[in-house]
Amino acid sequence: MSAAPASPSPRPAVTEREARQVAEAAREQDWRKPSFAKELFLGRFRLDLIHPHPMPADEDAQRGEEFLAKLRDFCETKIDSSVIERDAQIPDAVIDGLKELGALGMKIDTKYGGLGLTQVYYNKALGLVGSASPAVGALLSAHQSIGVPQPLKLFGTQEQKDTFLPRCARTDISAFLLTEPDVGSDPARLATTAVPDGDDYVLDGVKLWTTNGVVADLLVVMARVPKSEGHKGGITAFVVEAASEGITVENRNAFMGLRGLENGVTRFHQVRVPAANRIGPEGAGLKIALTTLNTGRLSLPAMCVGAGKWCLKIAREWSGAREQWGKPVALHEAVGSKIAFIAATTFALEAVVDLSSQMADEDRNDIRIEAALAKLYGSEMGWLMADELVQIRGGRGFETAESLMARGERGVPAEQMLRDLRINRIFEGSTEIMHLLIAREAVDAHLSVAGDLIDPEKSLSDKAKAGANAGVFYAKWLPKLVAGAGQLPRAYGDFAPEGHIDLSGHLRYVERGARKLARSTFYAMSRWQGRMETKQGFLGRIVDIGAELFAMSAACVRAEHLRSRGDHGREAYQLADAFCRQARIRVDELFAHLWTNTDDLDRKVVKGVLAGTYEWLEQGVIDPSGEGPWIADATPGPSRRENVHRPIR
């Protein structure tokens, strides 16, 4: 075997255009299956794609319910969230118990020793565990949603599945390593390298925020393979044994919330990885990562559903017991509106997650946008619900559970829930990145036919051809945005059953809103053309409108589904009505802000801030953050720190 390669090259320097090209190459280009959310952004309300509500097979439901019963007993008897919060660590006994229960293999096929749960029941399990301890929920989610099992399920060879999936199902914890100290949502600058050397690759680099990395046995690592003879090169995915020589977990990171999270900094120095451990071809790493996240993103909103249910329970119990001015605080409108928001939003968010999960299980629809919307909407609404609970609890909401118990009251960890949920707006794509990702998919049809018109590097002949194609597309598409079923008084009559609240008006609003959304997007593209991608405020509002319309649709469909089954149908209709009325207020405001906003002024202020124009405003305070670089040095090389890796055996 030849000698190990020399030190890798420094972090690649890339232009803004090159970075976009890398991201564009990684996304799925084709739409081979229908997508409710994609159609919604195009102004087409395809209710037939989600109604009647899809259902799991009886045997899948039975298997899922049986496991949920076992998991509930385990959570109630073995998981003590206060201990995890106090010690900032999940006890080994809890992790061992989860292994024995089979919780590490919830999504892994039974032929590999897993439980073979559907996405629906996997998400219900995460919601249950996450309510007992968000840190435990994060451990299981990172292991199965983005760790080794999911990319191998989608892209692994049979040999890789036979080798690694049985381990992941019962004994081995996995982690996903993409982010670096100076690379977040811009993977074009990825610096970790995997240099071919005989039958191996040699990894060098540093990875940051490696969830589960401190306790992991197996890692999915994204690294850049240099282009050379016989090697296509590019960002590539590998399964790496965490105990390999040259791997050092240099730090266990501590955070505002999720104190039990085993998240660290991992350094690779001349780590040899067999070529057989490469997932997919060279250069396919980002596509693998993004495809894995199509359904993997559903795990976070699933745990937000669990958080919402808990917030509702505490709000109901507390606001009924706490009296102010002669009556329970719940009966004061200022508090009652917050409780109504929590109840209605929890109902809608569960509708979004269950619907998206069942569509993922059936594999009839392309749910990449639905899953992204669920993640975006769930993380934002979950945080708001927890914040409202803290406000409802008042001073007790700000007080820790430990302090409450010390003075003889129920130890309600409302402030902990708020801290734990805050990361969901950053995890697996921040809200800002999700806005851009979803917006790119939402305008895909437009760019497919007219993208060359706004591309400055395209030739005149290319632009002429694009203009002709665009003319044909828009001649057929634009007239359909003028009128639709939303203007027919009796449309969607299935959602106005006798003796129930009428939801059909909300669906007509969604249909009209979808057409208005599509018209607004078209007008913006016509107005800004190539500058459209820089209008992130506008794009964010477009996506938020789509998220609200999707949630309204899911809430109505879920309410009708529950009514048809005789399962709290009347109450479900009431919750769906309340949610839709709340959402319509938010949508109307978002539409108004598409064209009336401070985006241009904000850009001027930001330039002034960066130029130091307002530096005088910072006077009169003390900065307690101390000295040190903004971004830690991640130069490849041997580690000089103690290895804090502690696998659970």
Side-chain angles (χ1 to χ4, degrees), residues 37 41 368-377 431-444 539 542-544 546-547:
F41 280 107
R368 74 182 85 161
I369 300 182
E370 286 85 345
L373 286 173
K375 190 276 175 186
L376 168 69
Y377 199 71
T431 291
E432 293 72 26
I433 292 299
M434 296 307 298
H435 277 150
L436 298 181
L437 184 152
I438 297 168
R440 172 61 186 87
E441 299 294 355
V443 301
D444 184 55
L539 292 173
I542 286 288
V543 169
D544 286 340

Side-chain angles (χ1 to χ4, degrees), residues 350-640:
E350 185 171 38
V352 165
V353 172
D354 277 4
L355 179 62
S356 300
S357 300
Q358 186 58 42
M359 288 195 293
D361 286 329
E362 293 187 352
D363 203 26
R364 288 188 295 112
N365 294 354
D366 188 323
I367 67 154
R368 74 182 85 161
I369 300 182
E370 286 85 345
L373 286 173
K375 190 276 175 186
L376 168 69
Y377 199 71
S379 58
E380 290 294 320
M381 288 304 189
W383 163 259
L384 287 176
M385 286 189 288
D387 187 54
E388 292 289 40
L389 177 64
V390 168
Q391 193 70 18
I392 290 170
R393 288 274 290 161
R396 290 173 173 85
F398 193 67
E399 192 173 0
T400 68
E402 185 178 24
S403 176
L404 287 165
M405 288 188 292
R407 59 182 184 79
E409 292 192 3
R410 184 181 300 186
V412 178
E415 61 84 29
Q416 181 191 335
M417 179 63 73
L418 190 66
R419 290 186 287 105
D420 287 345
L421 284 173
R422 184 59 180 85
I423 187 59
N424 291 338
R425 298 173 64 200
I426 301 171
F427 260 173
E428 296 180 19
S430 69
T431 291
E432 293 72 26
I433 292 299
M434 296 307 298
H435 277 150
L436 298 181
L437 184 152
I438 297 168
R440 172 61 186 87
E441 299 294 355
V443 301
D444 184 55
H446 300 284
L447 294 180
S448 296
V449 299
D452 286 356
L453 283 173
I454 59 178
D455 189 336
E457 295 192 2
K458 294 297 181 180
S459 65
L460 289 177
S461 61
D462 288 335
K463 290 180 182 292
K465 183 178 179 181
N469 291 336
V472 173
F473 173 79
Y474 290 119
K476 295 179 179 179
W477 178 68
L478 285 171
K480 296 178 181 178
L481 301 182
V482 177
Q487 294 163 295
L488 302 177
R490 296 186 179 180
Y492 311 112
D494 290 351
F495 293 83
E498 186 177 351
H500 288 69
I501 292 173
D502 186 352
L503 297 181
S504 64
H506 296 312
L507 293 179
R508 291 194 292 273
Y509 177 91
V510 172
E511 195 277 337
R512 297 193 303 271
R515 287 187 283 110
K516 184 176 181 180
L517 184 64
R519 293 194 302 268
S520 300
T521 304
F522 174 74
Y523 173 69
M525 291 192 66
S526 302
R527 175 180 176 180
W528 291 315
Q529 299 186 26
R531 293 185 295 126
M532 177 81 159
E533 63 186 17
T534 68
K535 303 297 181 178
Q536 295 179 3
F538 176 89
L539 292 173
R541 295 180 197 105
I542 286 288
V543 169
D544 286 340
I545 292 169
E548 294 283 5
L549 297 179
F550 176 40
M552 289 176 65
S553 305
C556 291
V557 168
R558 182 176 181 81
E560 172 56 18
H561 169 64
L562 293 177
R563 186 201 66 82
S564 67
R565 291 172 52 191
D567 190 4
H568 304 292
R570 194 177 305 278
E571 297 85 356
Y573 258 65
Q574 187 175 41
L575 286 170
D577 181 53
F579 172 77
C580 288
R581 290 180 185 277
Q582 294 169 10
R584 288 170 71 158
I585 294 172
R586 295 191 291 266
V587 170
D588 289 345
E589 185 176 0
L590 285 165
F591 268 125
H593 288 172
L594 285 179
W595 312 111
T596 304
N597 52 66
T598 61
D599 291 350
D600 291 339
L601 177 59
D602 292 345
R603 278 190 287 272
K604 294 177 182 178
V605 172
V606 168
K607 290 180 180 179
V609 169
L610 293 179
T613 305
Y614 314 117
E615 198 168 346
W616 52 268
L617 189 59
E618 302 167 11
Q619 296 175 6
V621 299
I622 302 297
D623 180 2
S625 55
E627 302 296 328
W630 286 108
I631 299 171
D633 181 30
T635 303
S639 179
R640 295 177 176 82

Side-chain angles (χ1 to χ4, degrees), residues 31-79:
W31 292 87
R32 293 180 291 274
K33 299 174 185 175
S35 165
F36 173 80
K38 176 176 179 287
E39 294 293 302
L40 196 67
F41 280 107
L42 285 171
R44 298 190 284 252
F45 181 42
R46 291 286 308 278
L47 185 61
D48 60 295
L49 293 177
I50 62 174
H51 174 66
H53 194 294
M55 287 289 292
D58 290 343
E59 59 183 36
D60 290 335
Q62 181 179 350
R63 184 167 61 249
E65 293 293 344
E66 289 175 353
F67 176 71
L68 286 180
K70 296 177 183 176
L71 184 62
R72 172 176 289 277
D73 179 69
F74 180 86
C75 290
E76 290 176 343
T77 59
K78 304 298 183 183
I79 296 179

